[in-house]
Every structure is written in structure tokens, then in C-alpha cells.
Amino acid sequence: MRERITYFSPRDADLDPNQLEINGVKVQGPAVEAVREHKITLTLPELPSEIAGLLRDLDQLQLRWATPASYNTLEPFSSRISPGLHVSYTPIKEDHDPEKLCTALQAFGRLDCSSPDVFINLSNGRQAGSPALFFYNELEKLDGFAKRLGPVVCSGPTAADCRKQLQELKDAVSLDMSYDSTSEAVKIQALWPLQKREIAVPASPKGRTEVGILRIGDAPGMEAHEVGVSGVLAVVGETKTPSPTMFAFAARHRAASGSFTSRFQQPTGLHPTLQLSLSSTAPPVDDGAECAPYAYFTFPKVIFADRYQLADELFLASKNLAAAKYVSEPVDLEAPAYTTKEWGSNVLLELAPPKDKAAAKNWTVEVPLHLRYLKPSPTGKEEAGIPYPAVFWACNGEQDVGYAINPFDRINLGYDGLFEPGTTFWHVSPKPEADGPLINNISVPVAKEGASQWVGVGTAVAVGLGFVWVLMKLMGGYAKSGHGTVKTAEDKDKKEK
Amino acid sequence: MSSSILSSLLRPAPLFSIAAILRLVLLLYGTWQDAHSAVKYTDIDYLVFTDAARYVSNGLSPYSRETYRYTPLLAWMLVPTAKPHLFSFGKVVFALADLLAGWLIVRVLRKQRGMSAERAGAFAAIWLWNPMVATISTRGSSEGLLGVLTMALLWAVEGKRIGAAGFILGLSVHFKIYPFIYAPAIIWWMDDEHLGNGVSKSPASFADAVIKFLSPQRIQLTLISLSTFMGLNVLMYYIYGTPFLTHSYLHHVTRIDHRHNFSPYNIFLYLASADPSSSSLHAFLPQLLLSCLFIPFVIAKKDLATSMMAQTFAFVTFNKVCTSQYFLWYMIFLPLYLPGSSMLRVPSRGITALLLWVLGQAAWLQQGYELEFLGVSTFFPGMWLASLGFFLINCWILGIIISDGAERSIQKVHVM
């Protein structure tokens, strides 16, 4: 087991390495404005046997969670995904049953993932090496997860410390767990947001703990597109004095200026429009790279976008959209939510910024969506929460950028696989509506539960009445003229003669 | 003066020219609106057809297009639309089908009802100059094709073209299933009297009656229509396999019809669909009894056209799904039913029927608007009551059509 804890501060942070207290059991320092990242690398034998057994059936697995709370961060920790739990994996055998995986995922809370049909297939149109299957579930907090995980991973004399560390997950804004069969290693990365925090890293009882106390700064010989970092590194229990460091790397995920807000246009009806308001029209870089803004959506099954509706250029242009680059499959355009098996769908839209950049500082994009029917409820309404999308500018770059050198790199976020390998993602930070979560709530009209007793009887009575009425008219007609041809007076005369 | 101008407009040349110009104007307007506005004139279904046609022209299955639930014939017919500059080809076909249906109406009225050109033109104008009909076909909905098929069926049967009638019947059922309701009416109608075989003696025994009923013409019609229907199905199944069966036919059995529409069963079906234990197949019973059995039994021999109108009206009214495009299915028969009907003889009745039919829809549409656009849960009681109200209005209208049909004796022009 290896651990790496990084405190990452802004350029102007007040950070004096001499104030750090480093001894055999911990690294401690004064409070500083910083993002904190905790990375743990484990090998399969170090895991509980059930989990190791589960992972051996998989080629790769990624669990990603993002908080619905709004938070501040710093480059290079600027990548965003929609709030909630994102699970993607590739099984080794094609007929893999996700049941075991789903059982393990219940550690996060009640997730509906036991049927293979819940997962959607990602294989179309993505970079090689992208995971094959994907599932999303809303998940507001990690509290339950931290609690349930305690007994499984914390044991022995250090169990109390271990549980305390797990409790810290309550304040984390992002959690990634990934496994791949080539390295046979599990990497866990948790992120705490930018805020004033004390530096405190205890030694790990099980392995080596590396600590980095860094801030953004120019490194010698760094190129324009790189992120420069300076600070000190230490290994708890090994280093007496921190060793200064300074380096630069190309980052896949950058922070664009400005922010965006997402809201539903009122009234929502059954075909709601999601409005994205962006505060900046300018691409993040001006160095000739081709950049375009995108939004990547994670839609729970209650709502969906119609790929065919998003194919007409005039229609798209009228909504400030450029193109629907990707819509996951399958998306049934008619079925109610209660017969739809897939968890939902992903959509990547290219946005169309206003041409006249000086005139419009703010601009709004409209995303036409459709609601599925939901089961009746006692109130005639059902509330649904739609997570914010990830909004970013994607700028194309050279294929062989050494993004992997970045010690804080993050891949397989859902959208990155849909772009060329050298693409840089400039993330626009999400701003909630009125300090709420990064979730857009929508009220879905449904039938009132109490209606069923009336509807059953009433419909039967009305159909019965209508049927009997028509039948009576038919019998009246039959009584008058039988089922044959009507004999006119002339016909009758003929017959009588 | 004005009436003479009007009657001169009803002569064939101006009648069809105006109908054609109306469609041409709508077609050009639609093309303009599509090119300039984000709100499209073209029906969404037309995009489904043309996408499917594009798949077909690339040697793929039309069922590669989601929600394509039609016979591959339609996609084949629209293959030219795969070329961008021929996008409107299908709409032109649908509009021409409208005109052909109108021509058949005029023909049936003149040859088989002995009507004057102007009078036949006046009734045909109900279809030909109907803005609803013209709009539906120029927006690219294929329902107009059913109009020409059913009218051709009536024309063939009344003209005693048994082979043609069998072929058209088989083709129509392959196309849209519902025309199977006309089969019992046509078979029942095809007695010696209607076919001009001379009136024979009443059969002596039940066995005689059965033998007499199984006339060569009836057997011919049955065999031709069945082999056309099955032949097309086997061909399509051979080419496109199971997706053809699933999307063209099985879909209609398994669909759960939960989305709001005019059908009286609608809210009931939505509630039932949310409860997996329920089944709603019994909803077919009143619909099929009326449209396939009782109505043709009483009316078909008296007036085949009115029987077909009443059957279609019953089928649409009692159907588990009902949208306004379905109304076109019975509208095609109006020009044949209306002459001599009590709706015209007693104008107040006709006007009341029309007003109630429109008001019933308006009430439902108002509820639908609140649900669809404002998100108000109008399912119960508003929309439910509106759909039942519209249903009862339709039953009342159906009653009038049936009473008229039962008293009807159409003037026969053929000489016995």
C-alpha cells in the first residue's frame, strides 16, 4: 500500500516550509488555503478477498463520485463530472453478470443495478481502452459509504485511526476508485475542496506515505500550455527535512474563466427546456488551437434528449447549439420510466457561442428535453433531480502530449473518450441556482393514485354506455330492415305482381 | 350567380386543379418554413420515413430507424427522398394519393350512384378541398395513402372487380392492419343480388345456405386477399427478418399506450401499465364486435360505403389509441355517406354533430395543453372526462350513421 497526500495552494498562498513539523509519525503545519488530495494505491492481495475476487473478473473498473455541493478547486484538479455516482467497467468475459459488482456497490447506498440491462454500452465512437459498460446513480453524500466501509477495511490496533480517516470522506467533494487488470492495482483518489485547512498527515501503519505541500508557480523552462508547481515533498517517517521541488507538466484538465448556471425554463410541461447560462464567450486559449464549448449530460431515465430532434441545423442554431456529438444508446423515445431498464442516458452537445463576442457577455443555451411518464403518485406530482452537466471548452492539441506524466491526471470521465487523445478540457465551473445543490429539480405531472378506482369503473361505464347505445341503433335498424338490402316501394310492387 | 360560379368550380377540371393548387401551395410553404424556421412544417413521422428510406437505399433495413413501425413498402416507395433535392418526393406522392382518392370518390359517385358531375364534385370537395386532409399529406403523413387504398377497395368491390378488390384488401391490411375490418363487410355484401348473378331462390336447408354462401367469388376474394397479405409478409420477413414482424405487427399488440391521446381507455391504460399484473386485452372486444361483426351484418348489404364508414368510425372511437390522424381513416367515406343522409336532410342534426365533434376535441386539447406545456397534472379528472365526453359524442354520431345506413338503399345503376 502506498499513500500520497497533496496540499495544493494558489500562487499567492502564504506557505513557509520552515513552519512544517516533520517527525517519525506525522507531518504537521499551519493552516493554509489549499486543495487536498489523498491517493492510495493498493495491490489485489491487500484487498479483502471478496473484493479482490470481484475485480479478477474485470478488465477495468472505475467508480467516480462527485458532490452535488458547489465547491472551489484549483488546476490541475479542475476536472468535473455530473454530481452522483458513475460506474464504468469492462468485464473479461462477455457474459459477465453484474450481480456481484452490484452487491458490492450497495456500500454506497441502495442502487438499482442488478440487471445487466441497467448498464449502457459505451463501446461506440470512443477511444480504445475506454470502459465498455456504464451506470449512473444519484448519490448525495458519502457518509453511508464511509460508515459501511469501516468494518471492512479497518482492523487491528489502528482501526480507530482508520475509521477517523474514513470519516473525512464526509467532506470530500470527489472520490475516484479505479482498477485495471494490467497493473492489478487499485487506485483510490479523494479530493477536498479549496479552503483554509491545517496540514496534518499521520504515518500510515501499513505502508509508505508521501506528502506534497505545493502551490502553483512558474517552473524553469516550462512551456505556455503547462502547469508549473513548486513546494516541498516529504515521506512520513523517512524524511527529516522537506525536500524542495519544482516541476511542470501538461494538464489534460484546466480551469476556464467564468462560470455557468443550469435551470429549467418555466413552465416545464412534459417537454422541458434546460437553460445553460454561461458567463464567458471567449475561448480559454488564444494560441491557434481550435476550441469549442461542450456540455456533457448525465440524464437519469426520467428525462431524455431526442437524437432525431437534435439533428436539424436550424433548430440547433435557434437553441445556440452547434451539434449533438454523442447520444448514448439505447434511448427509447416513447417508453415510460417504469418500463425503461437502462439507468438513463449520456449526451454530448457542442454549444454555439455568439458570433459577436463583444456584444454578448452572457449567453444562454437551450437544451430541448422530454419527460417520461412516471407511476401515479398520491399528489399527482413526482419530483426528479437532474444533475448539472459538465461544461468545458475542448481544445485540440498534439496527439503525443505527455498527459500521463501529470501525477494528478484523470481519465475515463465519460466525455474524454469521445475526443482525440491530445485534447485539453477547460472546465467552466458550475454555479448553483440560489446557493442550492448542483441539481436541477423538476416536477413531473403524473396521474393521482386515488384516480384508479374511479377510472376503472368510470371508463367501463362510459364504454359500456357507448357500446349499448350503438348496439341499440343497430338493433333498431335491424328491426326495421333486417340485414339484407332495403326493399324500396318499387321493388315491392315488382314482387307483388 | 354565385351558386353557378360555385357549381362551375365543382366540375372535374377546376375541382382537381384547386385541390392540386392547394397542395402545391402548402408544399411550397412547408419547404419555405422548414428552411427558415426552427419550428418545422414537416411532420416528425416524415423524418422517420425518409430516414428509413435512406437506410433502404444504402441496402440496410428500414427498421434500423427507431420508431419505424410501418411496412418496408413505404420506405421502398420513398427511396428517392434519400437524395437531398428530392426530399419532398414523398409528400408529392402522398398529395397525389389524395387526388387519386378524390378521383375515385367522383367515379364511385357518378358511375355507381349515378350522380351529376357537379353534385359528385361537391361531395368529393369535402375530401379534396379539405384543409385538414391537404395539410396532413403535405406535412408528410402517410395516412392519406390509406384513403386511396380504402376508396380503391370500395371502387373495386362495387365495380365487381373481385381480383383487384382482393389484391387491394391484402395490400391495405399489410400496410396498416385496420382495413381487415372491411373483409367481413365485403364478403357479406357479395351476394348474388349485388354481384348481378340474378336473384335465386331461398336456400332450402342450412347446408344449402352454407354452400350458397361459399360462392366462387367469395372464395376468390378470400384467396387473393389472403395470398397478397401473406405473400407480402413472407417477402418482408424473408428480407428483413424478425424486426419486420416486431415493428410492423407485434408492436401493436405489446405496446402499452400510456401516453395521453383521445382514446376513452387512455387514462385507464396509463394506470394499468404502471401495475404489471394487469392486462387490458379485453378492450379489443367491443371494438371488434362492432366494427367486424354487428355493423357489417346490419348495414353492409344496404350500403357498403356507409357500412365501411361506420365500421371505421367504430374502430377509431373504441380504439385503445386515438390521435387526430386516425380521423382521416373515416373522413374519406364522408362524400359517400353524406348524400341523402339525415345529417344533410336535417341540417340541425348535421351541424350539431359537427359542432360537438369539434368541441369534444377542443375540450380534450385544452386539458392536453395544460398537461403537455404547463405541466399541470390534468390526467384525472379533466382529461379523463374530456376523453369520455368525446367518446360519447362519437358514439352518438356513430348511432346516426348507423341509423342512416340501415335505412339506406343506394340507387343501383347496373341493369339486372
Side-chain angles (χ1 to χ4, degrees):
Chain A
M1 180 165 115
R2 278 180 295 138
E3 287 190 68
R4 185 188 78 192
I5 294 169
T6 310
Y7 291 84
F8 208 91
S9 298
R11 189 181 286 268
D12 55 1
D14 182 20
L15 213 154
D16 180 5
N18 296 326
Q19 289 186 316
L20 288 176
E21 184 194 329
I22 302 178
N23 58 37
V25 290
K26 65 178 184 202
V27 172
Q28 191 137 15
V32 61
E33 183 89 356
V35 168
R36 178 170 178 258
E37 190 217 40
H38 192 157
K39 182 175 179 182
I40 302 175
T41 310
L42 294 155
T43 53
L44 277 189
E46 289 172 308
L47 291 169
S49 59
E50 316 90 84
I51 296 180
L54 161 75
L55 293 176
R56 274 184 234 277
D57 288 343
L58 304 179
D59 184 44
Q60 59 167 318
L61 169 70
Q62 274 110 29
L63 308 181
R64 295 187 195 286
W65 173 83
T67 178
S70 167
Y71 67 90
N72 291 324
T73 182
L74 281 179
E75 280 182 339
F77 302 100
S78 35
S79 62
R80 299 274 185 167
I81 56 173
S82 291
L85 180 69
H86 303 245
V87 178
S88 50
Y89 76 99
T90 310
I92 287 173
K93 289 194 193 116
E94 277 210 2
D95 59 346
H96 177 261
D97 183 359
E99 176 111 37
K100 256 206 269 179
L101 173 63
C102 185
T103 311
L105 288 175
Q106 303 303 317
F108 286 95
R110 277 177 59 91
L111 307 182
D112 174 23
C113 54
S114 56
S115 154
D117 301 330
V118 171
F119 292 80
I120 57 171
N121 205 321
L122 293 184
S123 36
N124 290 340
R126 280 173 197 266
Q127 282 174 26
S130 297
L133 298 161
F134 180 76
F135 165 76
Y136 166 86
N137 207 105
E138 56 175 30
L139 182 68
E140 205 191 323
K141 290 184 164 130
L142 290 180
D143 298 25
F145 176 66
K147 211 166 143 193
R148 280 181 280 268
L149 207 60
V152 184
V153 298
C154 301
S155 59
T158 56
D161 286 342
C162 166
R163 275 201 203 101
K164 208 176 135 205
Q165 273 202 331
L166 274 175
Q167 288 304 312
E168 288 177 2
L169 276 179
K170 282 183 179 176
D171 303 316
V173 292
S174 145
L175 176 69
D176 286 3
M177 294 197 226
S178 60
Y179 164 80
D180 70 88
S181 60
T182 345
S183 68
E184 289 213 322
V186 174
K187 293 187 187 111
I188 303 169
Q189 272 168 289
L191 185 74
W192 286 264
L194 181 65
Q195 64 179 61
K196 201 109 181 162
R197 58 178 73 251
E198 272 180 25
I199 294 170
V201 182
S204 162
K206 287 181 184 162
R208 184 184 142 96
T209 306
E210 214 180 324
V211 183
I213 294 150
L214 307 170
R215 71 172 162 206
I216 295 181
D218 297 329
M222 107 183 212
E223 290 182 47
H225 67 275
E226 291 183 323
V227 175
V229 164
S230 67
V232 291
L233 300 177
V235 177
V236 189
E238 284 180 23
T239 330
K240 292 266 155 50
T241 48
S243 39
T245 183
M246 192 177 269
F247 57 99
F249 50 84
R252 193 188 307 272
H253 301 286
R254 306 290 302 263
S257 60
S259 61
F260 78 95
T261 310
S262 165
R263 71 168 67 83
F264 279 111
Q265 202 173 65
Q266 298 296 331
T268 46
L270 289 178
H271 308 281
T273 298
L274 191 69
Q275 284 183 325
L276 301 181
S277 306
L278 289 92
S279 67
S280 170
T281 57
V285 278
D286 224 359
D287 61 358
E290 269 179 55
C291 295
Y294 290 86
Y296 186 71
F297 297 88
T298 304
F299 290 128
K301 63 174 145 189
V302 59
I303 204 162
F304 66 94
D306 178 349
R307 72 177 72 232
Y308 300 106
Q309 186 185 23
L310 295 175
D312 182 74
E313 278 178 25
L314 272 174
F315 179 76
L316 287 170
S318 75
K319 309 281 179 199
N320 280 338
L321 296 172
K325 290 287 185 185
Y326 170 78
V327 182
S328 65
E329 285 183 73
V331 177
D332 191 300
L333 303 176
E334 295 157 331
Y338 45 86
T339 65
T340 304
K341 294 198 180 92
E342 297 79 28
W343 66 268
S345 57
N346 289 119
V347 176
L348 176 68
L349 296 180
E350 184 183 340
L351 318 179
K355 295 250 159 51
D356 185 3
K357 288 182 179 107
K361 263 202 131 180
N362 291 302
W363 55 295
T364 300
V365 169
E366 293 187 342
V367 184
L369 298 171
H370 307 275
L371 288 176
R372 291 189 194 284
Y373 273 49
L374 298 178
K375 285 194 174 184
S377 82
T379 54
K381 294 269 170 197
E382 198 64 85
E383 299 298 322
I386 313 301
Y388 260 49
V391 174
F392 51 83
W393 292 78
C395 301
N396 61 5
E398 290 153 40
Q399 295 273 336
D400 56 349
V401 196
Y403 284 142
I405 299 168
N406 171 2
F408 310 105
D409 192 25
R410 208 176 172 209
I411 55 163
N412 287 328
L413 301 183
Y415 46 83
D416 50 343
L418 297 167
F419 291 87
E420 294 295 318
T423 308
T424 318
F425 302 93
W426 294 80
H427 293 269
V428 182
S429 65
K431 210 172 83 188
E433 271 188 289
D435 288 334
L438 298 173
I439 303 272
N440 291 120
N441 287 309
I442 185 166
S443 164
V444 184
V446 296
K448 284 193 198 76
E449 234 161 37
S452 38
Q453 45 178 351
W454 291 100
V455 169
V457 177
T459 307
V461 167
V463 172
L465 269 177
F467 182 69
V468 168
W469 172 261
V470 175
L471 218 54
M472 273 165 50
K473 290 283 159 186
L474 277 167
M475 292 196 297
Y478 185 76
K480 251 190 227 165
S481 54
H483 64 258
T485 319
V486 176
K487 301 284 179 264
T488 58
E490 202 182 315
D491 288 337
K492 278 181 193 156
D493 283 354
K494 261 190 224 162
K495 234 180 187 174
E496 275 160 25
K497 276 170 197 171
Chain B
M1 176 71 192
S2 63
S3 72
S4 73
I5 292 174
L6 186 62
S7 71
S8 68
L9 286 179
L10 294 168
R11 298 200 53 77
L15 175 76
F16 285 98
S17 307
I18 290 171
I21 290 167
L22 171 66
R23 281 160 178 79
L24 190 66
V25 168
L26 286 173
L27 207 68
L28 292 175
Y29 167 75
T31 313
W32 179 86
Q33 185 180 324
D34 283 356
H36 291 89
S37 167
V39 182
K40 302 299 172 191
Y41 178 80
T42 300
D43 194 285
I44 293 170
D45 285 348
Y46 191 67
L47 302 179
V48 178
F49 307 155
T50 48
D51 282 351
R54 209 165 306 126
Y55 282 117
V56 167
S57 71
N58 291 328
L60 296 166
S61 160
Y63 301 105
S64 308
R65 173 57 160 91
E66 276 178 86
T67 72
Y68 185 80
R69 306 265 159 68
Y70 313 84
T71 162
L73 283 180
L74 185 61
W76 292 2
M77 210 162 84
L78 301 187
V79 158
T81 61
K83 291 212 169 70
H85 60 279
L86 286 176
F87 178 73
S88 295
F89 173 81
K91 299 178 182 183
V92 174
V93 171
F94 299 152
L96 286 174
D98 277 359
L99 298 186
L100 182 59
W103 180 80
L104 286 165
I105 292 172
V106 172
R107 237 186 118 77
V108 170
L109 285 175
R110 299 208 59 198
K111 298 270 151 117
Q112 289 157 10
R113 306 282 193 283
M115 233 179 235
S116 74
E118 287 84 358
R119 199 167 144 75
F123 286 109
I126 295 172
W127 173 262
L128 283 170
W129 295 357
N130 191 322
M132 181 174 165
V133 176
T135 312
I136 286 180
S137 60
T138 52
R139 288 187 65 205
S141 164
S142 64
E143 304 300 338
L145 287 181
L146 270 302
V148 77
L149 282 174
T150 48
M151 196 41 60
L153 178 63
L154 180 74
W155 163 82
V157 174
E158 288 200 351
K160 299 175 207 74
R161 297 168 181 88
I162 306 296
F167 174 75
I168 297 167
L169 179 60
L171 176 66
S172 323
V173 179
H174 168 78
F175 224 95
K176 200 88 194 187
I177 310 179
Y178 87 89
F180 77 90
I181 60 172
Y182 304 134
I186 293 167
I187 296 280
W188 188 233
W189 177 90
M190 287 171 67
D191 51 22
D192 290 342
E193 191 180 345
H194 284 110
L195 293 175
N197 296 347
V199 182
S200 52
K201 280 168 255 142
S202 300
S205 67
F206 180 70
D208 272 359
V210 170
I211 290 165
K212 191 165 170 303
F213 185 80
L214 296 175
S215 66
Q217 286 100 330
R218 281 185 171 125
I219 291 168
Q220 187 193 355
L221 179 100
T222 310
L223 287 180
I224 293 176
S225 59
L226 265 183
S227 49
T228 309
F229 175 65
M230 286 316 294
L232 285 168
N233 289 345
V234 167
L235 177 69
M236 297 311 170
Y237 182 73
Y238 175 74
I239 303 177
Y240 299 113
T242 325
F244 158 68
L245 286 184
T246 334
H247 294 288
S248 301
Y249 297 121
L250 298 179
H251 165 74
H252 297 282
V253 183
T254 55
R255 61 192 284 182
I256 51 178
D257 303 321
H258 64 290
R259 283 188 165 270
H260 57 287
N261 61 72
F262 289 114
S263 169
Y265 297 112
N266 174 243
I267 310 295
F268 172 76
L269 290 177
Y270 165 33
L271 292 171
S273 74
D275 170 12
S277 65
S278 64
S279 151
S280 52
L281 282 176
H282 53 268
F284 283 122
L285 197 66
Q287 179 190 31
L288 294 184
L289 280 178
L290 286 179
S291 58
C292 297
L293 211 61
F294 299 152
I295 295 175
F297 176 71
V298 178
I299 305 178
K301 282 179 189 275
K302 298 175 178 110
D303 179 356
L304 185 58
T306 300
S307 173
M308 286 166 79
M309 160 116 188
Q311 288 171 268
T312 322
F313 205 99
F315 189 89
V316 171
T317 301
F318 284 82
N319 201 21
K320 294 207 296 178
V321 204
C322 179
T323 65
S324 48
Q325 289 183 355
Y326 292 14
F327 303 154
L328 228 59
W329 296 355
Y330 55 73
M331 270 189 192
I332 182 77
F333 294 110
L334 270 179
L336 305 177
Y337 155 72
L338 280 179
S341 72
S342 68
M343 299 249 197
L344 288 190
R345 271 186 286 122
V346 190
S348 64
R349 188 180 296 173
I351 290 166
T352 312
L354 180 63
L355 278 181
L356 283 177
W357 187 75
V358 171
L359 282 177
Q361 283 178 67
W364 186 95
L365 287 170
Q366 195 270 332
Q367 296 295 312
Y369 170 79
E370 287 203 5
L371 170 66
E372 190 118 20
F373 294 96
L374 307 183
V376 182
S377 172
T378 56
F379 293 109
F380 182 85
M383 184 181 282
W384 177 63
L385 289 176
S387 68
L388 293 187
F390 185 55
F391 167 77
L392 291 173
I393 290 169
N394 278 318
C395 286
W396 177 70
I397 297 174
L398 180 57
I400 297 175
I401 300 170
I402 285 172
S403 300
D404 282 349
E407 289 164 13
R408 193 72 73 90
S409 134
I410 56 166
Q411 209 176 346
K412 288 175 233 43
V413 284
H414 65 258
V415 185
M416 294 222 197

